Amino acid sequence: MPYMASECQRKGKMVEDQKRKLLMVLALLLLPSSAQSGNTDRLTEHHCMDFQRASFLGGRKLKVQFLLFTSLSPSCGELISADDGIKNCGFNSSLETKIIIHGFRALGTKPSWIEGLVQAILHTRQVNVIAVDWVYGSTGAYPSAVENVTQLALAISQFISKLLALGVSGTSIHIIGVSLGAHVGGLVGHFHGGRLGRITALDPAGPKYTRASPEERLDPGDALFVEAIHTDADNFGIRIPVGHIDYFVNGGKDQPGCPRFISAGLLEQAGVNMSRLPQEVKVFLMTSPSAPFCVYHSLVEFQLQKKRNRVTSIEISFSSNSTKDTAKITIPKDQETGKRLLAHRVPLCQINSVTLKYIPKNLFWSKDEPSIVGKFCVAPLPLNSSRTMSCLPWSLTLPSKTDISYELPTACA
Ligand SMILES: *[C@@H]1O[C@H](CO)[C@@H](O)[C@H](O)[C@H]1NC(C)=O
Ligand SMILES: *[C@@H]1O[C@H](CO)[C@@H](O)[C@H](O)[C@H]1NC(C)=O
Ligand SMILES: *[C@@H]1O[C@H](CO)[C@@H](O)[C@H](O)[C@H]1NC(C)=O
Ligand SMILES: *[C@@H]1O[C@H](CO)[C@@H](O)[C@H](O)[C@H]1NC(C)=O
Ligand SMILES: CC(=O)N[C@H]1CO[C@H](CO)[C@@H](O)[C@@H]1O
């Protein structure tokens, strides 16, 4: 009996609670006395809240609800608002918080995969899972759902701000956005200056977003780590990369020794085997952008000493005794930092050296600078919440088109 209903839930809900209690009391009075024993306890238990149901006719209010699920009650949603009352809920501010945002719901119904996803996450990890219910604003025609996205993102951002004010760390927040919800997550991350821990986009939506600017859609600046799993890029999904890593998994095949993760079309919209999802870290083993085998991944980052008024490209290679794997970091114009995921065939601890090469963009009318200066850092994935990146301990000067190699001393444990 972990929760007290009245302390935890919103006022509007309390009215409903009162009614419900009244009904229960009435029911108890009407029951024969032998059936009453043990039942009175239930009156103080919090009752499970479900998603709302909206009609697909237009003119909906947004009516956002936040439902909390914890390992104590993985199948029972608790209506929460981020105020002091949250301390009386199952919410544990020292744990990670996963916030799930669904997408467009043509018929205004609850997404059928929510429960499976929540339970799968809680089965694997002790975390706070918060499902955002915005079925009211997500229904009707797709463009009108899109119109509600900014307001929804503001509501979620405010909710997160209150969590932060209660002492929750920004890096412990992980947004999982499905379809249109992925761009909502991007906007939420943007409102938080890209300092939230992680955004996972499942099948980020394409319509109205493919040509949108990075501010309007999900992009790698929206969180410390942004990953996207595209399973529907030829239809409703977005075709362009939006994260530090983007998996385009059409035609992905099971690999020996690797977990089976995707089996397209399988589940509503996402095409993801939800019972595998909490082990999402394993997805790294399964799909590299380039090679059809299991690989390791590291997040590589280059931070310019000075922002530049043009795009900066740096080629990064990891070399081991027998392998060399390369990726290109792109730092957008007027930004300091570029991040990229580098897929390598041997564990990071077997990488002997890293080679950096600055690739200037010499245009017909303007020559790029002959060298750049900055800092290089690397972290093996998955990132854990302490998120320690190892950096080469000095400011590197990279002359144009020249390979500069450094030892990467990371011993195997
Ligand atoms: C919150 O989680 C931490 C870490 O698992 C645990 O030690 C602590 O007891 C939890 N607090 C509550 C109130 O459950
Ligand atoms: C989904 O994953 C679960 C857990 O590994 C597995 O038992 C199940 O067979 C998978 N379903 C499909 C359709 O691959
Ligand atoms: C790489 O080669 C060096 C020198 O031959 C050797 O000492 C080291 O053990 C090798 N490392 C691996 C991971 O095979
Ligand atoms: C996180 O990574 C650090 C450094 O790699 C390591 O010491 C720590 O044990 C890791 N924590 C968890 C929870 O995996
Ligand atoms: C709260 C809000 O802005 N809701 C809007 C969601 O989109 C529909 C369709 O455009 C509007 O009618 C709602 O007012």
Side-chain angles (χ1 to χ4, degrees):
M1 196 186 52
Y3 314 112
M4 303 292 285
S6 54
E7 288 166 290
C8 214
Q9 297 172 352
R10 280 191 283 196
K11 275 212 180 98
K13 203 53 232 147
M14 280 164 64
V15 178
E16 219 177 279
D17 277 345
Q18 301 303 335
K19 278 193 208 156
R20 195 171 155 277
K21 281 185 187 172
L22 200 65
L23 283 174
M24 285 179 75
V25 170
L26 280 175
L28 285 172
L29 290 176
L30 293 173
L31 283 171
S33 56
S34 59
Q36 282 185 26
S37 54
N39 271 358
T40 42
D41 270 352
R42 299 241 169 91
L43 291 182
T44 50
E45 272 183 35
H46 97 87
H47 75 266
C48 304
M49 282 297 294
D50 204 352
F51 271 58
Q52 305 162 96
R53 187 183 284 265
S55 113
F56 64 89
L57 298 172
R60 298 291 139 213
K61 277 243 163 66
L62 212 44
K63 288 198 196 172
V64 187
Q65 285 198 148
F66 298 95
L67 300 181
L68 171 70
F69 298 83
T70 64
S71 39
L72 282 177
S73 60
S75 55
C76 178
E78 193 177 354
L79 189 65
I80 57 161
S81 54
D83 51 28
D84 284 344
I86 205 165
K87 294 188 187 121
N88 302 316
C89 301
F91 187 87
N92 183 336
S93 58
S94 59
L95 296 177
E96 254 183 86
T97 300
K98 306 214 179 249
I99 299 178
I100 302 171
I101 309 172
H102 66 81
F104 172 56
R105 305 293 309 159
L107 299 178
T109 49
K110 170 186 178 177
S112 59
W113 45 263
I114 282 274
E115 275 159 18
L117 176 56
V118 167
Q119 285 172 26
I121 291 172
L122 288 171
H123 184 68
T124 324
R125 311 263 289 273
Q126 261 216 336
V127 291
N128 307 296
V129 179
I130 293 172
V132 180
D133 165 6
W134 67 290
V135 286
Y136 268 92
S138 69
T139 187
Y142 178 77
S144 60
V146 172
E147 278 171 28
N148 283 327
V149 155
T150 308
Q151 203 186 334
L152 170 67
L154 278 172
I156 299 171
S157 300
Q158 281 164 1
F159 179 86
I160 291 175
S161 296
K162 289 187 198 158
L163 291 183
L164 300 181
L166 291 170
V168 171
S169 79
T171 50
S172 71
I173 292 181
H174 175 191
I175 296 176
I176 301 171
V178 176
S179 188
L180 193 52
H183 297 297
V184 177
L187 222 54
V188 171
H190 183 67
F191 292 153
H192 284 276
R195 289 187 298 270
L196 299 180
R198 176 171 171 195
I199 298 175
T200 301
L202 300 178
D203 219 3
K208 295 216 175 266
Y209 284 96
T210 305
R211 282 186 199 83
S213 71
E215 287 75 34
E216 294 169 293
R217 61 165 171 82
L218 180 64
D219 75 282
D222 290 333
L224 297 175
F225 181 54
V226 178
E227 64 192 336
I229 301 167
H230 305 260
T231 51
D232 192 21
D234 49 345
N235 290 305
F236 210 58
I238 200 162
R239 280 173 207 142
I240 55 171
V242 292
H244 296 120
I245 178 163
D246 283 72
Y247 308 97
F248 290 88
V249 289
N250 291 328
K253 288 191 194 132
D254 293 339
Q255 306 298 320
C258 295
R260 184 178 306 164
F261 181 72
I262 299 300
S263 114
L266 174 69
L267 278 156
E268 182 190 15
Q269 293 183 4
V272 162
N273 185 344
M274 289 303 174
S275 51
R276 274 294 182 192
L277 201 65
Q279 296 159 10
E280 66 245 85
V281 296
K282 299 277 178 58
V283 73
F284 299 128
L285 302 178
M286 160 97 189
T287 51
S288 97
S290 54
F293 41 65
C294 298
V295 288
Y296 300 85
H297 288 86
S298 294
L299 188 61
V300 289
E301 184 180 295
F302 196 88
Q303 195 180 344
L304 288 170
Q305 206 169 55
K306 277 197 247 101
K307 286 180 194 170
R308 286 154 43 90
N309 64 358
R310 59 167 86 211
V311 170
T312 309
S313 302
I314 303 156
E315 213 175 75
I316 310 287
S317 306
F318 278 6
S319 303
S320 73
N321 282 1
S322 55
T323 60
K324 181 173 178 183
D325 297 293
T326 301
K328 191 156 91 182
I329 293 182
T330 303
I331 307 171
K333 188 175 167 227
D334 296 324
Q335 292 196 19
E336 269 170 12
T337 310
K339 291 182 199 178
R340 180 61 210 250
L341 195 116
L342 200 159
H344 42 98
R345 285 161 283 174
V346 299
L348 189 60
C349 64
Q350 287 179 27
I351 301 293
N352 307 323
S353 68
V354 55
T355 306
L356 295 92
K357 183 157 84 176
Y358 157 51
I359 304 163
K361 281 217 168 53
N362 287 318
L363 300 172
F364 181 62
W365 58 90
S366 75
K367 280 233 176 302
D368 206 339
E369 287 165 63
S371 67
I372 54 168
V373 182
K375 187 173 170 189
F376 175 77
C377 299
V378 58
L381 287 175
L383 293 176
N384 68 26
S385 42
S386 58
R387 192 180 171 272
T388 42
M389 289 196 99
S390 346
C391 301
L392 291 180
W394 53 82
S395 287
L396 312 175
T397 300
L398 306 180
S400 76
K401 295 189 195 162
T402 310
D403 281 343
I404 302 284
S405 294
Y406 297 91
E407 273 183 30
L408 199 65
T410 44
C412 286

